[in-house]
Amino acid sequence: MSDKQLELYERALARERAARKEAERILEEKSRELYFKSEELKKTNQKLESLVYTANSELQGVFGNIADAYVMMNLEGVPIKMNKVAEGLLGYTLKDHIYLYQLVTEDDKHLVAKGFEQLMQKGSLTNFEIHIRRACGEVSYVQINASVIYDRDKKPLAAQGIIRDITSQKRNEQQLVDSQNRLSTLILNLESGVLLEDENRNIVITNKRFCDFFGIPVAPELLQGQNCEQAAEQSKGLFEDPEDFVNRINELLVNKDQVIADELAMRDGRVLERDFIPIYEEGQYKGHLWTYRDVTLRRKYRESIEAERQKYSNIIANMNLGLIEVNNDDEILMVNQSLQEMSGYTEAELLGKKGMDILLYPGDRDKLNAENESRQRGASNSYEIRARRKNGELRHWLISGAPNYNINGKVVGSIGIHLDITDLKNLELQKENLLRKLEKSNDELQEYAHVVSHDLKSPLRSLSALVDWIREDNKEHFDEQTLVNFGLIDQTLEKMEQLISDVLNYSSMGIESSKREEVPVKQVLEDIKTLIHIPEHIKFTYPDKLPVLVADRVKLQQLFQNLIGNAIAYCDKNPGWVRIACEEQQHNWLFKVSDNGVGIAPEYHEKIFKIFQSLQKRKDSTGVGLSIVKKIVELYNGKIWLESTPGEGTTFYFTLAK
């Protein structure tokens, strides 16, 4: 190797040594820097660990002490962390290993899938509301606000959320909504017109009745939000005094004081009643409520009642009946002019006094006390008392009393109407005396009629016997005409005796017999069939069912026998018939006696019931029979009349009280 090459190797070796030393120096410096950095990083990590521990402790304190339930769950829905509030709400702890989805009610489970999907997509879920069933079995309405927990790679690891029990809140909200709905429905259907305005006079709510009152041709809901500042000017033409209507509204709005029952007269004759009610909230004016009612009928009723009251007040003040109003202590509260005249006392002398002490005859005190007790029980009554006028004169009063009630239905006194019947009582006494005299005269007349009847019949019977003797003793000497004349004498004597008997019956018919018994009408008719002669060409019929009357059997038989006998006697048809019929009425029995005889002309329908009046002069008729019939019917509070067509027949109708 040449020296030159050797020199080159030495220089290269020297450079390599220098480079190695420089590298060692740099490495030493870098190692020193790395050591310092490592020490600094260790201190930083210690601080970070302390901060993380502090943050975790603080977070634990926050979630442990917040008022709402906090739950952290894995992505399968199993809780991995819960605070005490959550355990109290759900009724479960982490040891129960519950699956949160199972707590959701059946009706809301379909919402959970949508909510979880939203949570995973957006990373959060806000105001999510569902129903859950707690461990105790109760169902609660809860609101959930949740978020997703991610790792460093933004992969979801778990979810956490706040659960708030809003059951009471929802219940209150629903009650508020229900109340609002009921209130709205009530307002919309009120008979009163309602208009609610806010502080700026914008319509909050109104109803159809309000629109009807003012002729507004739109639905009430379309008026909401409309301003009413010009409404008074637009509708003032509906009222009798337009300017007063506008001015009154402005006055109410300025004063903002409650006003009730303002009356508004309208041009079409209606009368409205208006209320204005200002609305304040915590002392701040928030608007006002108008209500309108149609009081037209009430106004007319009030005017009518006032007119009636005035009319009856005038009647009471001027009628001839005395009027007294007293309280429960019998203290006089009111008297009219007639009562003052009846008693002789003035109003000032009577008011406040006890009627019993100042007006009543002492001997009738017990009677009046009994009547007052009856009125206290709510009974109305009429009675007679003796009263003393101021001058001491004794009078008889008829009192009609009735209890007086207050608005609560309690008896607070009584009102009595008094009639002075002193003159009437005197007339009654006179009447009683006259009736006693008349009864005595009737008895004497009845006795006289029997005596006269006996006295008249005795010579008739003697005359009849004498005629029979003459005829028997001389019948071989008398020619045929004489014997006929003797027969006429017999008939005349029989008719005179029958006439005397009928007159006696007629005179005694108005006197009701004390002998009353149950009388079957059918039995009476069967007895009559055996007593009178019914020709073969006349058919006599009556129903199987006839009433039983309480009456005098003899008079009832006389009644039917006279009518049936007349029907047979005046029957000119062959075949002929006489029919009895009966109908029940509310208070009477209606009988019909019909025939197909000669009939009676209308002008004789009243005449035949008078004594001694006979339609046809028959030898066996005295003209008293129908008069007796009429008297018997009237004796039993009945009426008798007839319908007849001459030549076709007659129907007699009569009623007898049940």
Side-chain angles (χ1 to χ4, degrees):
M1 179 179 294
S2 63
D3 291 336
K4 189 176 182 177
Q5 289 177 330
L6 185 60
E7 186 180 353
L8 288 172
Y9 280 133
E10 288 177 353
R11 283 200 298 268
L13 184 60
R15 286 195 297 269
E16 185 177 348
R17 285 193 192 106
R20 185 181 293 116
K21 286 182 179 180
E22 184 64 24
E24 288 176 354
R25 185 187 65 80
I26 292 172
L27 181 60
E28 185 178 351
E29 288 179 358
K30 293 297 182 183
S31 295
R32 190 182 295 113
E33 288 178 5
L34 182 61
Y35 173 76
F36 288 135
K37 291 291 184 182
S38 176
E39 288 297 323
E40 189 177 328
L41 181 61
K42 184 183 292 185
K43 292 179 181 179
T44 302
N45 285 336
Q46 289 176 350
K47 290 181 180 180
L48 183 60
E49 287 178 0
S50 177
L51 289 173
V52 169
Y53 179 79
T54 302
N56 284 335
S57 297
E58 291 175 352
L59 190 61
Q60 286 280 7
V62 169
F63 287 122
N65 294 287
I66 59 175
D68 294 318
Y70 169 76
V71 176
M72 182 185 294
M73 69 176 188
N74 61 23
L75 298 182
E76 284 74 34
V78 178
I80 56 178
K81 196 170 188 179
M82 297 169 61
N83 65 357
K84 294 294 184 182
V85 179
E87 292 176 353
L89 172 63
L90 302 179
Y92 297 100
T93 66
L94 294 178
K95 295 179 181 179
D96 295 317
H97 301 290
I98 59 171
Y99 180 39
L100 294 179
Y101 179 75
Q102 294 177 343
L103 304 184
V104 181
T105 60
E106 290 295 330
D107 293 338
D108 286 358
K109 283 186 176 180
H110 68 285
L111 301 175
V112 176
K114 294 180 181 179
F116 189 77
E117 182 180 352
Q118 179 182 343
L119 175 65
M120 300 308 295
Q121 287 178 353
K122 296 183 178 181
S124 64
L125 185 63
T126 305
N127 296 333
F128 179 66
E129 297 177 356
I130 57 173
H131 291 86
I132 64 170
R133 189 174 301 279
R134 300 160 58 190
C136 62
E138 293 183 1
V139 175
S140 295
Y141 205 148
V142 297
Q143 183 186 74
I144 300 173
N145 290 281
S147 62
V148 179
I149 300 174
Y150 299 95
D151 63 8
R152 290 181 179 180
D153 299 327
K154 298 295 183 182
K155 291 183 179 179
L157 295 177
Q160 62 182 356
I162 299 295
I163 304 175
R164 182 173 298 144
D165 189 345
I166 59 172
T167 306
S168 298
Q169 176 186 335
K170 283 293 181 180
R171 186 184 302 114
N172 294 336
E173 289 177 357
Q174 186 60 45
Q175 290 176 351
L176 181 60
V177 170
D178 292 342
S179 297
Q180 290 174 340
N181 290 337
R182 286 194 295 268
L183 181 60
S184 297
T185 303
L186 176 63
I187 290 174
L188 291 174
N189 294 281
L190 280 175
E191 283 300 310
S192 300
V194 174
L195 176 65
L196 178 62
E197 298 176 352
D198 63 17
E199 64 272 23
N200 299 315
R201 296 211 63 196
N202 295 321
I203 296 177
V204 178
I205 191 171
T206 186
N207 64 354
K208 187 176 184 303
R209 191 66 170 163
F210 176 82
C211 297
D212 292 342
F213 281 157
F214 295 97
I216 302 173
V218 296
E221 54 269 19
L222 298 179
L223 295 176
Q224 294 180 11
Q226 299 293 320
N227 191 270
C228 294
E229 288 185 354
Q230 301 301 319
E233 286 289 339
Q234 294 169 359
S235 60
K236 68 180 183 179
L238 298 172
F239 298 87
E240 283 188 0
D241 192 337
E243 296 307 321
D244 181 67
F245 171 71
V246 175
N247 293 336
R248 180 59 172 160
I249 285 182
N250 293 333
E251 178 187 346
L252 295 175
L253 293 172
V254 170
N255 295 334
K256 294 182 176 58
D257 293 328
Q258 178 173 307
V259 175
I260 303 296
D262 254 0
E263 283 198 356
L264 306 171
M266 306 189 74
R267 284 188 173 177
D268 59 6
R270 288 180 296 158
V271 178
L272 299 183
E273 194 173 75
R274 176 180 62 194
D275 299 338
F276 174 77
I277 304 173
I279 301 172
Y280 292 90
E281 185 177 319
E282 296 180 355
Q284 187 176 358
Y285 183 70
K286 290 295 183 180
H288 46 264
L289 176 69
W290 303 94
T291 61
Y292 293 85
R293 296 175 294 278
D294 189 337
V295 296
T296 308
L297 288 177
R298 192 169 71 189
R299 166 67 75 84
K300 290 181 178 178
Y301 286 150
R302 190 168 64 192
E303 292 174 351
S304 176
I305 289 172
E306 179 60 27
E308 290 293 316
R309 189 192 68 80
Q310 188 62 41
K311 180 177 73 175
Y312 286 112
S313 294
N314 293 334
I315 292 174
I316 290 172
N318 296 285
M319 68 182 182
N320 290 325
L321 298 174
L323 185 68
I324 294 181
E325 180 182 351
V326 298
N327 60 20
N328 286 333
D329 294 326
D330 196 38
E331 294 173 347
I332 299 175
L333 305 178
M334 185 272 291
V335 295
N336 68 345
Q337 183 63 36
S338 294
L339 195 284
Q340 297 175 54
E341 295 173 357
M342 287 171 58
S343 65
Y345 290 97
T346 64
E347 183 180 38
E349 292 173 321
L350 292 173
L351 294 184
K353 304 293 193 306
K354 289 194 174 185
M356 189 178 297
D357 294 339
I358 195 170
L359 297 173
L360 184 68
Y361 177 72
D364 288 351
R365 182 177 290 270
D366 291 341
K367 181 178 182 181
L368 187 59
N369 282 330
E371 299 294 345
N372 286 341
E373 289 177 4
S374 177
R375 277 205 296 275
Q376 288 285 337
R377 295 191 297 270
S380 299
N381 44 21
S382 295
Y383 52 92
E384 294 180 17
I385 64 163
R386 290 170 291 179
R388 283 200 180 278
R389 288 171 50 84
K390 185 178 180 180
N391 60 8
E393 181 184 358
L394 185 65
R395 307 292 291 181
H396 292 272
W397 287 359
L398 174 65
I399 302 177
S400 179
N404 191 19
Y405 299 92
N406 62 12
I407 59 174
N408 298 320
K410 183 179 179 181
V411 177
V412 294
S414 62
I415 297 176
I417 297 176
H418 299 64
L419 175 65
D420 191 327
I421 59 171
T422 307
D423 295 338
L424 183 62
K425 292 291 288 185
N426 293 334
L427 289 175
E428 284 184 356
L429 291 174
Q430 295 177 19
K431 177 184 174 182
E432 290 176 3
N433 292 331
L434 288 174
L435 286 176
R436 282 195 293 270
K437 292 179 180 179
L438 183 60
E439 185 179 357
K440 183 178 180 181
S441 297
N442 283 337
D443 291 341
E444 292 174 351
L445 184 60
Q446 186 71 20
E447 183 179 352
Y448 176 73
H450 281 281
V451 171
V452 169
S453 172
H454 180 270
D455 290 346
L456 289 176
K457 285 183 178 181
S458 293
L460 286 177
R461 292 183 183 129
S462 298
L463 185 58
S464 177
L466 182 59
V467 170
D468 285 341
W469 293 342
I470 294 174
R471 182 171 46 204
E472 287 295 326
D473 293 342
N474 300 283
K475 59 182 178 180
E476 67 275 6
H477 303 293
F478 293 149
D479 57 16
E480 184 176 349
Q481 183 60 44
T482 303
L483 293 176
V484 169
N485 291 335
F486 272 108
L488 293 175
I489 292 173
D490 289 337
Q491 292 177 3
T492 302
L493 292 174
E494 289 176 3
K495 186 172 182 179
M496 287 183 66
E497 186 173 358
Q498 182 62 42
L499 179 60
I500 293 170
S501 298
D502 288 346
V503 170
L504 180 61
N505 287 334
Y506 181 80
S507 66
S508 61
M509 198 54 63
I511 303 173
E512 168 66 307
S513 171
S514 59
K515 184 182 179 182
R516 294 174 68 99
E517 58 183 326
E518 290 187 351
V519 182
V521 175
K522 184 177 179 182
Q523 184 62 51
V524 170
L525 296 179
E526 290 176 352
D527 291 344
I528 291 173
K529 284 175 65 176
T530 63
L531 293 174
I532 64 175
H533 172 67
I534 302 177
E536 293 182 357
H537 70 282
I538 295 177
K539 186 176 183 180
F540 176 50
T541 60
Y542 47 85
D544 286 334
K545 292 184 178 180
L546 287 169
V548 175
L549 302 178
V550 178
D552 185 324
R553 177 183 289 270
V554 174
K555 285 184 172 58
L556 207 57
Q557 182 172 319
Q558 285 179 303
L559 168 62
F560 281 100
Q561 186 169 328
N562 274 297
L563 290 173
I564 295 169
N566 276 355
I568 293 172
Y570 291 100
C571 184
D572 61 345
K573 307 288 192 309
N574 190 3
W577 51 262
V578 177
R579 298 171 184 164
I580 308 295
C582 180
E583 294 179 10
E584 184 176 6
Q585 298 178 335
Q586 185 176 2
H587 302 293
N588 304 299
W589 291 102
L590 173 64
F591 292 92
K592 304 175 187 178
V593 180
S594 305
D595 64 66
N596 64 338
V598 297
I600 302 173
E603 59 267 25
Y604 295 106
H605 286 189
E606 294 294 332
K607 183 179 179 182
I608 59 174
F609 291 110
K610 295 180 180 179
I611 192 169
F612 303 131
Q613 299 293 327
S614 179
L615 184 62
Q616 296 179 1
K617 298 299 182 181
R618 293 172 50 245
K619 61 181 181 179
D620 57 344
S621 174
T622 63
V624 181
L626 289 179
S627 301
I628 293 176
V629 166
K630 188 171 186 291
K631 270 207 163 189
I632 295 174
V633 169
E634 291 175 347
L635 185 64
Y636 291 100
N637 300 317
K639 296 180 180 179
I640 186 167
W641 68 97
L642 69 136
E643 293 178 359
S644 180
T645 301
E648 296 183 8
T650 302
T651 299
F652 281 89
Y653 299 86
F654 64 92
T655 61
L656 298 176
K658 287 186 178 179

